[in-house]
Every structure is written in structure tokens, then in C-alpha cells.
Amino acid sequence: MNPLILIILLTTLILGTMMVVTSSHWLLAWIGFEMNMMAFIPIMMKNPNPRATEASTKYLLTQATASALLMMAVIINLMHSGQWTITKLFNPTASTLMTVALAIKLGLAPFHFWVPEVTQGIPLTTGLILLTWQKLAPLSILYQISPSINLHLMLIMSLLSILMGGWGGLNQTQLRKIMAYSSIAHMGWMTAILLYNPTLTLLNLLIYITMTFTMFMLFIQNSTTTTLSLSQTWNKMPVITTLTMLTLLSMGGLPPLSGFMPKWMIIQELTKNDMLIVPTFMAITALLNLYFYMRLTYSTALTLFPSTNNMKMKWQFNSTKRTPLLPTAIVISTMLLPLTPMLSILL
Amino acid sequence: MLKFIIPTIMLMPLTWLSKNNLIWINSTAHSLLISFSSLLLLNQLNDNSLNYSLMFFSDPLSTPLLILTMWLLPLMLMASQSHLIKEPPVRKKLYITMLITLQALLIMTFTATELILFYIMFEATLIPTLIIITRWGNQTERLNAGLYFLFYTLVGSLPLLVALVYLQNTTGSLNFLLLQHWAQPLSTSWSNIFMWLACMMAFLVKMPLYGLHLWLPKAHVEAPIAGSMVLAAVLLKLGGYGMLRITSMLNPLTEHMAYPFLMLSLWGMIMTSSICLRQTDLKSLIAYSSVSHMALVIAAILIQTPWSYMGATALMIAHGLTSSMLFCLANSNYERIHSRTMILARGLQVFLPLMATWWLLASLTNLALPPTINLIGELLVVMSVFSWSNPTILLMGTNIVITALYSLYMLIMTQRGKHTHHINNITPSFTREHALMALHIIPLLLLSLNPKIILGPLY
């Protein structure tokens, strides 16, 4: 893509999210969402193949619907409170509508069907932006309206997301779809704790973004999009196999890696609020996620040469892909657990 | 406790920076030195001076298990030398690093004061064990074995996390030394029942209890020798240690809740001993024998009498050393004929007479011959379970007989009788193997001279 166009699009993307996060007027927040969506669609169409066209169309339809619902909620709130300030909403209808709108934007179940297909159709770097940067704006609005969100709606959506994210990923071999289902499940964890302690939502978001960033950077460096080609990592970059395995286990939430930290903190916060069955259910269904991460780990790191698979062997070139901050990201996504006391109050 | 943890962690740079022909010597010698230093912990005074810090402590229950863990690392390294000969040096160092990581995590598990630290380290031991089983096992079934191992343990232990966090919210602290004194008696209500289940299921899966034992034969059989040794000797005892710690907070509900699990372990020990009589796979036989011995330990812990606690701890240490030795013996067979089928290599006493001595001693300790500590453990457990309910003596007696039967079956099948013809060119035993067996059996026999150090805190 023409670099000038790319710069304009990326700037608009960043500006849109910043507008949503920093604004105090609902209209400006909505404008920020629209700018974000408008700038992201050409980025998704960088390589104009039919898959990308389908992904962009689905993204446009879902996000535009969500923005329209958002605007409806804002207007209802305006009718009942007479002001446009972004604070908690003053009407249960407005609150429900806005929660549903933001759930569509985030990809929470039962509105999660667009996430795997859109993630699959776009290149890896764009997928990374979709699954990390695009989550910031909706979550910031959810954070701000959290006192007025209906608890039952939120809990049902998050429990369903964790379940769907785990179950849906079980039959996948395409790495982008696996990351999409992992994103759905993590969004479920994040929104479950939103109404009790929003700081932990931000902590979970931070750790999730770091882990997803690490995974995508590892995929980009290997230029792989399927499990089968990921299993050739032992040939191209042997050290990366161990690091991929550790990052995947961290995403699964195994102690002593840093992916355990948000799960532990969320379970602690939920039990402090006298909910014991919900965190047990969440923790056990998160094991479904761990199952398909384990499958990836097996094919990448734990079953090595001379066990063969059906791929042609590749030459070991020096990698030409730009993977910025990969070592830092790997360290943060695996070794951050001892810093839990600092992080859970910092945000 | 840092005086053990830091040297153990420093074994890793030692391995990676050693010359290629010195990696085994360096790591084995230095881990042996560290294990000797752990014997200092045996000096248990009554003034609670072994409460080292806010995070680590050691008491007469965790000390024998800790010494066993640290003793086992040099033995594991010695046992692994032969099957890793053909690997490139980097992979050898990776293997040793996995063992050292596992060791450091196990030390921290056994000495943790705070129960959440115990939980995190308990779960953390899963990762190196999984890597050892799945990466360095020998058959394709190892993938399934790793998954069963990981998921059985995780499904059991995630409710434990919720229960521990709940305990912290209600009692204010999860420091084990404080909780012993602060624990409220639990009444028989549904929520307390679920909390009891949540606390205990993780350890019952780890022990394993008879109905949840499916992961154990898979994991033990598919693991390489060091993996089998550490699984049988130490990781199973993690479950027992956890149960011994946490039952002090679950009274008096345990008297009501223990019945189904007591039934399962009493019936299970007979079932698994009987299945040993029909095994063709040598490692599978030893794995099922582990389930049977651990069922005794579960029964002992659940009836909560002083004698049964002493029997449980003694039996854990004794079984750790015995089972590890049996796996080493089975591995010495496997390295020669590359098959675990028992009937393929028979009559080995003619070819390897000194190894036959070790087979004899291991089988004798497995069937709890007096005056070994195996007998002390089993006898204390049998007597205390008898005092809990008289008719259980029938089940216990049957179990002892069947244990004797399969131990002798294993001994006679592999050592005595007419040898098969195709093994007349097996390599003689290495000195390393003899040293390995001796280092297993000598502590076992010496402990029968002074068993009070392994009888736990209630002695």
C-alpha cells in the first residue's frame, strides 16, 4: 500500500481510539468509533483478495450496527438525563442497549460470530491490530459506564464468551482463528470482573494484549498461519519453539507464568463478592482453551525431529520480517507473576 | 530455605556452561552435595526455630519429603545418562534443566508457608513434568499421557484455588502456621461439603484415588526413567502432603465426608493390586502397585488418628524410595531389550546376578518385609484402620497377600526360571546402575534403624 495512504489510515485509526478514550461527550465518542472503523477497513483490504473483502464487509456491517445501537442508547440517555456527558447511564434501556452495542464491538458471545471469520481473512499484522488495538476503545467506554451495567446481562455474556471461546477453538487448525477464539474467551474474563473491580479488567487487558502481541509476532517471524507450518519452527528457529511453548502455556493460564495472574486476581475478586460457582465454572471452561493451546504446543515444541509431518523442509534464512519488541514481549508475557502485587493496584 | 533453593537454581548455569563431557558429572556431583546439605533439616527442635521466613518453613512432615526430593535428583541424573547418549548436547542440557527446574519448584512446594504459594508451586511442577513426559518419552502414547496428566490434575486443582481464596477471605490469612490455630469447626452444610470437596479433590487426583487414577498408568509408563522416578517418588507424595496439611482445617466435617473416599481407596487398593497380577507390561505393573500403596495412604489420612498419620508419612517415604528403585530396575531391563514386556527377558539372574540382588531387595521392600520402614508404615495404617472399623482387616489382609503375590510374581518372572534364548547377548550391568540401586536401598535400610525421623509431626 502507498506509504502516504498507510500513514493517513494509521493516524486516523489511532486518533479515533484516542478520541473515544479521552472524550467526555457522547457524540465525540461515537465519532471516534466511526473514524476507527472507517480507517480500519482499508487497512484490512491491503491485499484485495476475496477473503479480505468478505472480512471487511462483515466487519463493516457488525461495527456499523453496533455504532447505530450505541447512538440509540446515547439518545435515550439524553432523553432521560438531558445531558451528553460520558458518565454512568441513567436509564436501564439505554444501559442494556449500550452494553449490547459494545459487546458486538468487542466480540462477546452471543455476538462473537464475526471475530473468527474476520480475523481469518486479513493478514497477520492487521489481525494483531484487530485483536489488540480495537479492543481498547469499547473497553474504555464499558469501564466508564460500569456502575450502570446490568449485572445479569454482563455475567451471562461473559460466561457464554468463555464457553464459546473455548469450545469454538477446539476444531481449528488455522492460527488466526485460534487467536480469534482465544480473544473471545479472554474478553469474557475481562467483562466478568468489570462490575466488581474494573482495575482487574485493565490488568487482564494489559496481560492479554502482551500475550497476543507476542503470539502474533512469533507467527509473523515464522510467516505461518497454520498449525502445520508452525510445526516447522524447530527447523527455522529452534529457540523460538521453546518460547512459543511458554507463551502458549501462559495464555492457557498455567502458573507460574504471567497468564495465571489475571485469572487468579479475577477469581479472588469474585470470591470476595460471594460468588463461588461462577469463578469455578469460568476456571474449568478456561481449560478448553488450554486444550487447543496444548495441541499447538505439541506440534511445535514437544514432538521434534526425527518425528516427521507432511511439510517440505525449508531453508534456514535470516528472518527479514520486522518483529519489534519481541524479546521484551516474551519476557513480559511469561515472567511477570512475581510482580502481581504492584500490577494489581497500579492500574 | 534459600540455602537449598539458590544452589539448586544455580545448577542450571552449571549445566549450560559445563564442557560437553562434564555435564553429567558436574550436575550429579553438585546435586549430591546439595542433598547432603538438606540433611541438616533433620535437627527438629521444639522451639519452632525452623520457621525460616515469611514464605518458607520446615517441620517434621515436610523435612523427610524434602530430603527425599533432594536425594532423588542425583539419582535421576544418574539414571538418565544412558538413554540420552545419542542426543545432541543442547538437548541433554535442556533435559537436565527440566529436572533442575522441577527440583527447585518441588523444594518450594514442600516448604511453602502460605497456601497460595503452595498452590502456585504445586501447579508449576506440572509444566516441567509435562515437558519431560511428552518430549522425551518413547512411544506415541506419550502425547495422550501428557494430556491426561495435565487435565486430570488441573480439573482437580482449579476448585482448590477458589477454595483457598475463599478461606483467605473468611479467615484472613493463608499462612499455614496461623491457620492451624484459627480454623473454625466446619458444620455439615451443603456449602461446607462443596468446600471440603474443592479442597481435597486436587490432592485425591494427585495421589491418585482409585476412581481418578486413569492418568497414572499412562504417565508412568510413557515417561522416561527420570520422569517415572520423580512422578512415583515425589509428585504423588505432593498429594499426600497437601492432604495432611489441609485436613487440619477441615474438621469435623472430614468424619462425614470421608466415607465415599475411604470406600474407594479400600476397594481400589484391592482392585489395583489384583490387576498387577495380570499385567504384561513391567512399568505398568509398578504403576498400579503405586496406586495400591497410595490408596493405603489416602485411607490413613482420611481417618485422622495419630498412628495413621505416622503410618501415612512413613509409607510415603518408604514407597517413594521403593517405587523409584523398581522403576530404575525396570529401566535397566528396558535399556537392554527395548521392550517393557515382562516375559521377553526372563531368567536374568543367570546373566546379571548382582542386579538380581537388587531386584530381590526391591521386591522384598515392596511387599513390606519386616523390619523395613515399608512394614512400619503399612502396619501402622492397618492397625489404625482396624481400630476405625474391625471388618476392614479382611480387605487390608487381602491386600497384603496380593501385594506379596505380585511382587514375587514380578521377581520370579524376570529373574528366575529358564532364560529366554534371545537375551544371551545383553550387555552386563554398569557400575552406574549398581550405584543407582545401592543409593536407593541404603537409605531405605538405614531408616529402619531410626524410623522416628520419618514418622511425622505426631510422633
Side-chain angles (χ1 to χ4, degrees):
Chain A
M1 187 184 268
N2 188 348
L4 186 58
I5 308 282
L6 191 61
I7 290 178
I8 295 177
L9 290 173
L10 284 176
T11 317
T12 318
L13 186 73
I14 297 174
L15 184 61
T17 308
M18 287 294 117
M19 279 172 66
V20 174
V21 170
T22 58
S23 85
S24 53
H25 194 283
W26 276 120
L27 187 66
L28 218 52
W30 179 82
I31 291 176
F33 274 122
E34 295 297 291
M35 277 171 65
N36 194 344
M37 174 184 71
M38 291 296 166
F40 194 57
I41 291 177
I43 298 179
M44 284 201 281
M45 288 288 292
K46 248 196 291 195
N47 310 328
N49 50 44
R51 245 345 193 0
T53 315
E54 178 192 345
S56 314
T57 318
K58 283 183 182 158
Y59 188 73
L60 169 71
L61 288 173
T62 52
Q63 299 286 312
T65 316
S67 294
L69 283 173
L70 186 79
M71 200 42 159
M72 174 92 172
V74 165
I75 302 284
I76 295 179
N77 185 35
L78 173 68
M79 271 171 45
H80 284 266
S81 67
Q83 45 87 35
W84 290 86
T85 321
I86 297 185
T87 62
K88 70 182 186 71
L89 299 171
F90 294 100
N91 184 349
T93 316
S95 165
T96 314
L97 263 178
M98 187 170 288
T99 316
V100 165
L102 293 169
I104 299 176
K105 281 201 180 289
L106 277 177
L108 280 177
F111 311 109
H112 64 285
F113 293 98
W114 62 272
V115 187
E117 291 148 3
V118 172
T119 320
Q120 181 60 30
I122 55 184
L124 277 171
T125 325
T126 321
L128 169 63
I129 301 178
L130 172 69
L131 291 181
T132 54
W133 184 260
Q134 301 291 80
K135 311 287 179 193
L136 288 178
L139 274 173
S140 77
I141 298 291
L142 272 175
Y143 185 102
Q144 290 175 63
I145 64 169
S146 63
S148 56
I149 299 179
N150 185 359
L151 173 65
H152 299 291
L153 177 66
M154 204 46 149
L155 267 183
I156 290 179
M157 283 202 294
S158 52
L159 290 177
L160 261 180
S161 301
I162 303 175
L163 203 56
M164 289 297 124
W167 242 329
L170 283 180
N171 202 20
Q172 303 299 334
T173 52
Q174 294 287 329
L175 292 176
R176 285 170 288 182
K177 278 200 172 145
I178 287 181
M179 295 310 294
Y181 281 108
S182 129
S183 150
I184 298 171
H186 278 108
M187 287 297 130
W189 278 89
M190 281 183 232
T191 48
I193 198 62
L194 186 65
L195 296 171
Y196 295 105
N197 190 351
T199 311
L200 290 178
T201 306
L202 296 179
L203 173 68
N204 199 348
L205 182 67
L206 176 69
I207 305 283
Y208 162 72
I209 287 180
T210 319
M211 294 192 295
T212 311
F213 178 79
T214 313
M215 286 313 299
F216 269 99
M217 283 298 148
L218 289 167
F219 295 153
I220 289 171
Q221 193 167 40
N222 276 330
S223 320
T224 75
T225 54
T226 63
T227 312
L228 198 55
S229 57
L230 188 66
S231 63
Q232 285 288 311
T233 316
W234 65 266
N235 188 16
K236 293 191 277 189
M237 283 162 252
V239 181
I240 293 283
T241 55
T242 321
L243 301 172
T244 313
M245 173 182 72
L246 284 177
T247 316
L248 278 167
L249 291 178
S250 179
M251 288 197 90
L254 282 185
L257 304 167
S258 40
F260 177 64
M261 183 195 331
K263 294 199 162 61
W264 172 23
M265 291 290 113
I266 288 177
I267 289 178
Q268 185 164 24
E269 206 58 40
L270 285 173
T271 49
K272 276 189 200 163
N273 282 289
D274 289 328
M275 298 171 68
L276 291 171
I277 306 216
V278 168
T280 319
F281 177 75
M282 283 163 66
I284 304 244
T285 42
L287 285 179
L288 289 169
N289 265 359
L290 182 63
Y291 180 73
F292 56 81
Y293 297 143
M294 283 304 302
R295 226 189 354 222
L296 277 183
T297 321
Y298 273 6
S299 66
T300 315
L302 290 178
T303 52
L304 292 177
F305 187 79
S307 59
T308 54
N309 52 30
N310 287 330
M311 285 287 289
K312 287 191 190 145
M313 306 276 286
K314 293 197 176 172
W315 290 102
Q316 287 193 16
F317 290 120
N318 274 332
S319 177
T320 54
K321 306 273 179 178
R322 286 193 58 236
T323 53
L325 289 181
L326 184 58
T328 318
I330 293 177
V331 170
I332 295 183
S333 55
T334 51
M335 297 194 211
L336 213 57
L337 192 65
L339 283 183
T340 308
M342 180 183 90
L343 288 171
S344 45
I345 57 170
L346 198 63
L347 298 163
Chain B
M1 210 47 68
L2 276 182
K3 62 180 176 283
F4 307 124
I5 296 177
I6 292 197
T8 311
I9 295 179
M10 293 310 281
L11 282 174
M12 280 193 269
L14 173 70
T15 318
W16 283 97
L17 297 172
S18 300
K19 281 196 286 198
N20 285 344
N21 56 348
L22 283 184
I23 43 178
W24 293 110
I25 302 175
N26 272 342
S27 47
T28 316
H30 286 87
S31 52
L32 201 59
L33 279 177
I34 299 174
S35 72
F36 285 144
S37 76
S38 73
L39 292 172
L40 291 170
L41 286 174
L42 283 173
N43 187 18
Q44 305 272 341
L45 306 168
N46 269 338
D47 58 355
N48 209 22
S49 56
L50 285 172
N51 185 10
Y52 288 107
S53 73
L54 291 172
M55 287 172 290
F56 298 119
F57 81 119
S58 89
D59 81 345
L61 172 58
S62 56
T63 306
L65 289 166
L66 194 61
I67 298 177
L68 175 67
T69 314
M70 300 180 76
W71 183 246
L72 221 64
L73 181 61
L75 268 50
M76 287 195 279
L77 290 169
M78 279 164 55
S80 310
Q81 279 186 20
S82 155
H83 77 90
L84 287 179
I85 278 183
K86 297 238 169 49
E87 299 249 354
V90 174
R91 289 195 195 154
K92 281 190 213 174
K93 292 178 184 176
L94 262 176
Y95 190 76
I96 299 178
T97 311
M98 286 298 121
L99 291 178
I100 294 171
T101 323
L102 185 57
Q103 173 83 332
L105 293 170
L106 281 169
I107 295 176
M108 288 199 268
T109 319
F110 280 124
T111 55
T113 315
E114 179 90 28
L115 281 178
I116 289 277
L117 181 65
F118 169 76
Y119 175 82
I120 293 182
M121 294 302 145
F122 177 79
E123 296 288 297
T125 57
L126 289 176
I127 299 182
T129 319
L130 176 76
I131 298 176
I132 294 176
I133 296 178
T134 330
R135 168 68 188 90
W136 277 281
N138 279 321
Q139 281 78 29
T140 52
E141 290 86 13
R142 69 188 197 274
L143 303 174
N144 222 11
L147 280 174
Y148 265 74
F149 169 64
L150 187 68
F151 281 95
Y152 264 68
T153 315
L154 279 175
V155 172
S157 60
L158 283 168
L160 174 65
L161 178 63
V162 179
L164 284 179
V165 173
Y166 174 75
L167 257 178
Q168 173 158 39
N169 289 333
T170 49
T171 55
S173 158
L174 277 180
N175 187 330
F176 176 69
L177 300 166
L178 292 176
L179 265 184
Q180 280 176 306
H181 304 291
W182 283 356
Q184 305 285 338
L186 287 179
S187 57
T188 321
S189 69
W190 274 108
S191 49
N192 282 343
I193 289 180
F194 279 117
M195 194 180 93
W196 192 95
L197 277 175
C199 288
M200 295 291 259
M201 282 320 278
F203 304 120
L204 289 170
V205 169
K206 203 85 167 128
M207 286 294 289
L209 182 67
Y210 174 59
L212 305 164
H213 67 291
L214 202 51
W215 64 271
L216 184 129
K218 290 191 203 299
H220 273 115
V221 163
E222 301 304 330
I225 179 59
S228 290
M229 285 168 75
V230 77
L231 264 173
V234 186
L235 289 177
L236 264 50
K237 317 303 180 279
L238 270 180
Y241 174 76
M243 274 172 76
L244 282 166
R245 289 283 187 223
I246 212 141
T247 43
S248 59
M249 292 168 255
L250 297 173
N251 289 318
L253 184 57
T254 314
E255 297 163 21
H256 303 282
M257 283 301 298
Y259 281 106
F261 303 105
L262 268 167
M263 296 306 123
L264 273 175
S265 42
L266 286 172
W267 185 238
M269 71 186 179
I270 303 215
M271 283 285 105
T272 44
S273 317
S274 318
I275 213 84
C276 285
L277 289 169
R278 298 289 298 168
Q279 286 296 328
T280 52
D281 183 338
L282 187 53
K283 275 180 99 167
S284 192
L285 194 153
I286 306 172
Y288 277 108
S289 121
S290 280
V291 181
S292 168
H293 287 277
M294 285 297 112
L296 272 172
V297 176
I298 294 178
I301 297 177
L302 286 175
I303 60 178
Q304 295 185 297
T305 71
W307 268 9
S308 76
Y309 269 26
M310 287 198 274
T313 40
L315 196 50
M316 284 202 285
I317 306 293
H319 172 260
L321 286 167
T322 311
S323 195
S324 175
M325 184 170 177
L326 282 170
F327 274 115
C328 290
L329 288 166
N331 185 54
S332 71
N333 260 9
Y334 181 79
E335 282 170 8
R336 282 165 177 77
I337 62 177
H338 284 290
S339 164
R340 296 191 297 261
T341 315
M342 261 195 295
I343 56 174
L344 280 183
R346 285 173 289 160
L348 286 172
Q349 184 163 19
V350 187
F351 293 100
L352 308 171
L354 188 50
M355 200 53 86
T357 316
W358 304 126
W359 271 104
L360 178 69
L361 285 174
S363 302
L364 288 179
T365 50
N366 198 21
L367 55 91
L369 196 72
T372 60
I373 47 177
N374 299 61
L375 176 78
I376 295 178
E378 275 199 35
L379 204 57
L380 285 172
V381 172
V382 170
M383 286 192 290
S384 43
V385 174
F386 176 67
S387 83
W388 172 74
S389 159
N390 288 2
T392 54
I393 193 80
L394 297 166
L395 294 170
M396 292 279 177
T398 318
N399 184 45
I400 295 184
V401 169
I402 304 184
T403 309
L405 279 174
Y406 71 69
S407 303
L408 289 175
Y409 167 66
M410 180 174 62
L411 177 69
I412 295 176
M413 186 62 97
T414 50
Q415 304 303 116
R416 308 294 164 96
K418 184 103 174 68
H419 60 88
T420 47
H421 287 289
H422 57 84
I423 60 166
N424 52 11
N425 54 356
I426 56 174
T427 56
S429 315
F430 297 105
T431 312
R432 170 183 60 83
E433 292 174 345
H434 289 307
L436 191 60
M437 309 306 163
L439 284 177
H440 273 111
I441 199 73
I442 288 177
L444 200 58
L445 296 176
L446 284 178
L447 274 173
S448 49
L449 294 177
N450 187 8
K452 77 166 186 284
I453 50 183
I454 55 163
L455 285 180
L458 288 174
Y459 178 72

